[in-house]
Amino acid sequence: MARKFEIIEKDWYKRRTILGKDIKPVHVAIPDYQPVHNYICNMIVSYDDDSLKTLIARVLYNELTSKWTVDGMEVSVMVIEMSNENAGDMFNRQVG
């Protein structure tokens, strides 16, 4: 089962450069992700200014919505489980 991490927008935190320009996260990778509540993992975030940052994050399961999220404080993502067929289509769209 392939996983996609969708960034959750946070209005309360804004990372800015010295010039005052907003820097937004554009991609998140979590190489050691495990669907275990309160599991601690590494979140690698790439920003639109081509910078990278590694955050210590926590995996959370919401019993009310039956959804997994990963919270790195500065950046949070929602975990989307995809079948292998959908994952192949997504890869082809990104590469092609």
Side-chain angles (χ1 to χ4, degrees):
M1 187 73 56
R3 289 179 190 88
K4 177 182 173 190
F5 299 106
E6 184 177 303
I7 297 171
I8 300 170
E9 294 291 326
K10 290 190 173 187
D11 291 335
W12 60 267
Y13 179 81
K14 292 190 179 182
R15 183 172 177 228
R16 298 177 187 266
T17 61
I18 296 172
L19 301 174
K21 180 186 173 202
D22 289 344
I23 300 173
K24 296 184 180 184
V26 292
H27 184 264
V28 172
I30 306 172
D32 55 346
Y33 171 80
Q34 290 185 21
V36 176
H37 186 67
N38 281 328
Y39 178 76
I40 302 297
C41 58
N42 293 308
M43 177 186 285
I44 303 167
V45 183
S46 58
Y47 293 90
D48 60 0
D49 68 342
D50 295 328
S51 64
L52 286 175
K53 190 171 190 178
T54 301
L55 306 173
I56 297 173
R58 183 171 63 140
V59 178
L60 301 168
Y61 181 70
N62 185 329
E63 292 181 6
L64 296 175
T65 62
S66 299
K67 294 188 179 183
W68 291 96
T69 57
V70 183
D71 187 7
M73 293 301 287
E74 292 180 23
V75 178
S76 294
V77 294
M78 182 173 18
V79 180
I80 300 172
E81 300 286 339
M82 301 183 311
S83 67
N84 290 335
E85 294 172 3
N86 291 343
D89 292 342
M90 185 184 78
F91 178 76
N92 291 335
R93 278 184 263 141
Q94 288 179 351
V95 173

